[in-house]
């Protein structure tokens, strides 16, 4: 028997180093390190064809991508968003000087409940920032409809939604802008990185300027842009990762299927995504720990830790419960009943391409209390 590996919620997929080395050597030889070099262009083309989208800007990470999106769309006042997400979703709004207004989630999809958005709209509302949580698509039609009737702009935080389709096309085509994360913990990773998906060429060019200090040409600087440029090294890794992504996702699919077998009928454990409803990139394997389980979510979380299994409580606490959001001056207390309940019961199990069957059995045994 080999020693037991500590299991984290994720373990980044990486290609063979030998596949990347020739590209690194080229970068070293050419001295083209950043500022839209040849690998940057090649990575964009690869993403366009893999994702089936036309206009894409690369950025250093999704958080900055969201911040730049808020600026690009000129959002001010209030933006309606979900409390059940990674903190970057809210932070991007606060950095943009916008007040997040939190709306409850749909307890089935864990995405923002589109039927509750309209009640939260005020004369100050300028946009909606929704998240395709764990890669499950938002109710994009309903959100689109509300946005067009109230003249609101829509940003999708698509950090979890790499490669996810909706009605036969990329879900990244919805909304005014969508933002991908290529962080190490995501399905597709470039260590750090991200992308902004734009509806047209003109928007992409404006985003590209925001990514590069607002520079138009040597003498013209149009806006207060940021520095969010992706380096050639990162882009080269992205190109190689694209050759392997289908394989990574297929391995995740098998991990997902094994969990469903191993945990079928486990007392008080419910799968967030019923069979056949898992997002097609298998980003995560979230479960809900119900009262019948006998242990609270936190007790189960601790029992797993005691066995060197680091499941994560994504997303707990809710963004709306963090100090910088709780103290927001005037927002009336909103009912976040489902979000609060889910945040207390959610647990994301280790999910990654090379999680072995034996390791999954080890995890399932602790959950079943064996
Ligand atoms: C990971 C994540 C982000 C931030 O992505 P970075 O690339 O790490 O900045 C934003 N939103 C959600 C929902 C995420 O999971």
């Amino acid at each position: 028997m080999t020693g037991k590996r500590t299991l984290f919620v994720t373990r980044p997929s990486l290609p063979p180093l030998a596949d990347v080395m020739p590209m690194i050597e080229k970068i070293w030889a050419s001295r083209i390190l950043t500022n839209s070099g040849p690998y940057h262009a090649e990575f964009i083309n690869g993403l366009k064809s893999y994702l089936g989208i036309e206009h894409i800007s690369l950025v250093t990470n999704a958080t900055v991508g969201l911040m730049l999106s808020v600026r690009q769309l000129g959002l001010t006042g209030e933006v309606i968003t979900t409390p059940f997400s990674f903190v970057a979703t809210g932070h991007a709004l606060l950095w943009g000087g916008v007040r997040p207004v939190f709306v409850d989630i749909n307890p089935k999809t864990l995405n923002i409940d589109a039927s509750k958005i309209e009640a939260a709209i005020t004369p100050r509302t300028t946009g909606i920032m929704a998240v395709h949580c764990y890669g499950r698509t938002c109710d994009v039609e309903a959100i689109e409809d509300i946005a067009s009737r109230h003249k609101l702009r829509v940003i999708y935080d698509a950090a979890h939604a790499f490669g996810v389709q909706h009605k036969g096309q990329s879900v990244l085509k919805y909304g005014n802008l969508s933002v991908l994360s290529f962080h190490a913990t995501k399905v597709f990773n470039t260590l750090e990185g991200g992308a902004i998906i734009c509806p047209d060429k003109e928007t992409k060019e404006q985003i590209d300027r925001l990514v590069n200090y607002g520079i138009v040409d040597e003498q013209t600087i149009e806006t207060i842009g940021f520095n969010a440029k992706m380096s050639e090294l990162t882009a080269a890794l992205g190109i190689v990762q694209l050759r392997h992504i289908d394989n990574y996702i297929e391995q995740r699919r098998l991990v997902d299927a094994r969990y469903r077998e191993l945990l079928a009928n486990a007392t008080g454990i419910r799968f967030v995504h019923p069979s056949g409803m898992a997002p097609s990139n298998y980003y995560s394997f979230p479960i809900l720990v119900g009262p019948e389980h006998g242990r609270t979510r936190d007790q189960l979380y601790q029992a797993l830790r005691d066995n060197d299994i680091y499941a994560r409580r994504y997303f707990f606490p809710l963004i709306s419960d963090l100090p910088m959001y709780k103290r927001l001056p005037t927002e009336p207390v909103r009912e976040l009943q489902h979000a609060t309940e889910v945040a207390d019961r959610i647990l994301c199990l280790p999910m990654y391409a090379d999680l072995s069957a034996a390791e999954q059995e080890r995890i399932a045994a602790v959950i079943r209390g064996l």
Side-chain angles (χ1 to χ4, degrees), residues 61-63 66 85-86 88-89 131 157 159-160 181 183 186 193 283:
N61 59 68
T63 306
L66 291 168
S85 182
F86 183 60
T89 311
V131 180
D157 178 340
H160 304 171
S181 171
H183 183 253
K186 307 302 201 269
Y283 168 60

Side-chain angles (χ1 to χ4, degrees), residues 3-285:
K4 277 204 266 174
R5 185 159 79 164
T6 299
L7 304 179
F8 297 100
V9 73
T10 188
R11 185 175 139 87
S13 296
L14 285 175
L17 191 53
D19 292 5
V20 190
M21 282 315 290
M23 302 167 90
I24 298 179
E25 278 163 10
K26 265 196 190 165
I27 293 169
W28 255 242
S30 71
R31 293 295 193 275
I32 303 174
L33 308 183
T34 186
N35 289 18
S36 302
Y39 285 133
H40 184 275
E42 188 181 335
F43 184 31
I44 288 181
N45 283 333
L47 286 169
K48 277 161 63 170
S49 77
Y50 184 84
L51 298 169
I53 47 172
E54 280 300 304
H55 308 285
I56 181 162
S57 294
L58 300 175
V59 289
T60 43
N61 59 68
T63 306
V64 156
L66 291 168
M67 287 163 53
L68 297 183
S69 298
V70 167
R71 180 162 283 269
Q72 169 66 22
L73 297 176
L75 302 186
T76 57
E78 297 172 0
V79 167
I80 292 168
T81 189
T82 172
F84 191 73
S85 182
F86 183 60
V87 65
T89 311
H91 280 4
L93 295 171
L94 285 193
W95 270 91
V98 171
R99 181 188 305 167
V101 174
F102 297 103
V103 163
D104 204 3
I105 58 171
N106 173 318
K108 284 211 179 80
T109 65
L110 310 195
N111 289 326
I112 191 166
D113 185 341
S115 72
K116 295 192 174 142
I117 290 176
E118 277 191 291
I121 295 174
T122 74
R124 296 175 298 280
T125 310
T126 55
I128 300 168
M129 170 103 84
V131 180
H132 302 298
C133 191
Y134 312 128
R136 185 101 168 243
T137 55
C138 289
D139 190 348
V140 288
E141 283 84 11
I143 291 173
E144 212 109 304
D145 175 57
I146 294 163
S148 72
R149 279 190 288 109
H150 295 271
K151 302 200 168 28
L152 305 178
R153 322 305 302 277
V154 180
I155 300 173
Y156 286 109
D157 178 340
H160 304 171
F162 189 90
V164 171
Q165 305 274 115
H166 179 77
K167 299 199 169 152
Q169 63 169 357
S170 173
V171 75
L172 304 170
K173 289 192 172 171
Y174 292 83
N176 295 97
L177 295 168
S178 288
V179 180
L180 287 169
S181 171
F182 305 151
H183 183 253
T185 54
K186 307 302 201 269
V187 170
F188 178 89
N189 92 81
T190 60
L191 313 189
E192 294 272 3
I196 304 176
I197 289 77
C198 311
D200 50 53
K201 186 161 167 282
E202 195 187 15
T203 309
K204 176 197 152 42
E205 284 168 2
Q206 287 166 358
I207 293 272
D208 283 345
R209 279 176 211 154
L210 283 177
V211 166
N212 187 35
Y213 316 98
I215 293 173
V216 180
D217 61 41
E218 277 185 32
Q219 298 188 61
T220 322
I221 297 180
E222 222 167 43
T223 48
I224 44 163
F226 205 73
N227 173 7
K229 290 176 275 110
M230 180 180 283
S231 81
E232 285 291 276
L233 206 51
T234 304
L237 175 59
I239 292 163
V240 181
Q241 289 285 54
L242 274 178
R243 297 179 199 144
H244 296 274
I245 183 65
D246 283 338
N247 182 36
Y248 299 155
I249 292 175
E250 172 58 15
Q251 287 177 278
R252 285 174 174 273
R253 188 183 69 75
L254 298 174
V255 170
D256 181 284
R258 278 201 300 258
Y259 269 135
R260 289 175 192 280
E261 273 180 36
L262 290 166
L263 295 173
N265 310 317
T267 312
I269 300 297
R270 198 157 66 73
F271 304 140
V272 169
H273 309 303
S275 285
M277 300 290 278
S280 59
N281 64 4
Y282 302 95
Y283 168 60
S284 184
F285 198 89

